[in-house]
Amino acid sequence: MPQDISKDITFIKEWMAKEPHLPQDLDDKLIAKFLHSCYYSLEQTKKCIDRFCTSRSQMSEVYTNRDPLLPHMQTAFSITMVASYKYGDIEILIQKFDDPNMEHYVFYDFLRTHTLQGDYWVQRPFLAEGQYIILDMADYTLKMIAKTNIMFLRDYILYMLEGMPIRVKKIIGINAPYFYDKFYALIKPALPAAICDIIHFFPDHESLYNIIDKKCLPKEYGGEAQSMVEQNKEWVQAILERRKMFLNENLWAADLKKKPKSNDNTMSGSFRTLSID
């Protein structure tokens, strides 16, 4: 990280002020995260921020009605767990779906919890050299496919990887069910090759030991780090403490009515190649 990025932050803020569709509520710390995620390339940072803000408006299905105290959100939180761990300069984010009978799974509510977790995550101070995202698929069933809007999910995954201020190095599915390839086949065609190259599936959690030092994993996976259940409670509490902020449905969102037609928010379908080893 450059010793002094204040000039870069000022440059980005001045650029945002000149773009009529972009919000003015990104603080210096969040802008610094975007700069870091884009390896301090100003042009790449501008593209990433534009994608981030524009997509939040385009995906109103999951960026509205997110009050964490509402019953539908409480239900969604009850079937999701999230926790993060450090592995040297790498940040490990583990997400687990916990609804084996698919009794409470509502696709958009499920993603709403992810957006809240993501909004809290990007405000945490750790500037990781990269992230490993681990998805525990133990409770994934074929019923999930029928209840999922696959097209929306594809767009959401691309947005998360190309618009969020993170450097994703690996995406790992553990405890992958026998049908995982069928589920993945519905999404893979829309993903750039660079993203597909960092996606891996394993039949168990022990396979992680070949990639990550076992002691850096939570107790649930045989490691020495804090229990995922315990840390998830901390995440939920932190989100509740920020409830007022999340009630703002225009948080970090672009005004699409003011967005110039010539201003393309996509990144030409390509992943940020600098973020891949």
Side-chain angles (χ1 to χ4, degrees):
M1 174 178 175
Q3 291 184 347
D4 184 6
I5 63 168
S6 58
K7 291 183 179 179
D8 289 345
I9 292 174
T10 298
F11 174 87
I12 294 298
K13 290 171 72 174
E14 291 176 349
W15 164 74
M16 292 186 70
K18 296 175 183 177
E19 296 291 331
H21 66 293
L22 292 181
Q24 302 301 311
D25 57 354
L26 273 72
D27 61 26
D28 289 6
K29 292 181 179 179
L30 188 53
I31 292 174
K33 278 251 180 175
F34 276 101
L35 284 162
H36 176 76
S37 73
C38 295
Y39 295 85
Y40 302 95
S41 163
L42 295 177
E43 287 306 308
Q44 199 68 20
T45 299
K46 288 161 62 175
K47 290 180 182 179
C48 191
I49 288 176
D50 190 86
R51 178 68 182 268
F52 177 78
C53 298
T54 300
S55 294
R56 293 175 74 92
S57 294
Q58 293 173 331
M59 297 184 172
S60 58
E61 296 93 334
V62 295
Y63 278 103
T64 58
N65 199 20
R66 297 195 301 166
D67 183 348
L69 290 181
L70 288 176
H72 72 99
M73 291 302 296
Q74 290 285 300
T75 298
F77 274 118
S78 73
I79 61 172
T80 61
M81 280 201 297
V82 64
S84 67
Y85 303 90
K86 291 183 181 180
Y87 173 43
D89 292 332
I90 296 294
E91 183 178 25
I92 302 166
L93 184 79
I94 305 178
Q95 292 181 316
K96 178 175 171 56
F97 174 68
D98 187 18
D99 186 19
N101 296 318
M102 296 293 293
E103 295 178 355
H104 304 293
Y105 175 74
V106 176
F107 173 67
Y108 291 115
D109 289 346
F110 180 62
L111 286 191
R112 284 188 179 100
T113 65
H114 279 241
T115 65
L116 288 171
Q117 292 162 353
D119 286 355
Y120 168 60
W121 185 30
V122 299
Q123 295 179 82
R124 289 156 66 95
F126 182 44
L127 290 177
E129 283 304 304
Q131 283 87 14
Y132 292 175
I133 297 178
I134 299 174
L135 305 175
D136 190 332
M137 304 172 69
D139 285 348
Y140 283 28
T141 71
L142 287 171
K143 292 180 181 179
M144 179 180 279
I145 297 178
K147 292 186 175 184
T148 295
N149 182 332
I150 297 297
M151 295 299 291
F152 189 94
L153 181 61
R154 291 183 198 176
D155 291 342
Y156 182 76
I157 291 173
L158 281 172
Y159 152 64
M160 293 294 287
L161 295 174
E162 297 183 345
M164 291 285 283
I166 53 178
R167 298 176 176 178
V168 180
K169 301 285 187 178
K170 295 182 187 296
I171 301 173
I172 304 169
I174 59 171
N175 298 318
Y178 70 92
F179 62 85
Y180 83 86
D181 54 337
K182 297 181 178 62
F183 189 82
Y184 183 43
L186 296 173
I187 301 172
K188 186 176 180 179
L191 302 179
I195 292 179
C196 295
D197 288 344
I198 65 171
I199 297 177
H200 311 276
F201 295 93
F202 298 118
D204 51 45
H205 71 263
E206 287 86 356
S207 299
L208 290 174
Y209 304 161
N210 297 319
I211 303 171
I212 302 166
D213 190 333
K214 180 179 177 180
K215 68 180 181 182
C216 297
L217 295 171
K219 296 176 181 178
E220 288 87 347
Y221 301 118
E224 301 175 9
Q226 181 186 22
S227 163
M228 192 173 176
V229 173
E230 293 176 1
Q231 191 182 143
N232 180 68
K233 291 179 181 178
E234 296 173 3
W235 278 63
V236 173
Q237 182 58 36
I239 290 170
L240 290 173
E241 290 172 358
R242 292 161 176 76
R243 175 174 176 256
K244 184 177 180 181
M245 178 179 72
F246 295 135
L247 290 178
N248 175 13
E249 297 190 343
N250 294 315
L251 178 68
W252 305 329
D255 185 340
L256 299 181
K257 294 180 181 178
K258 297 180 180 179
K259 185 175 176 66
K261 293 182 180 180
S262 61
N263 191 339
D264 182 10
N265 78 290
T266 68
M267 298 174 72
S268 301
S270 62
F271 191 47
R272 286 176 288 179
T273 54
L274 285 175
S275 68
I276 300 176
D277 288 330

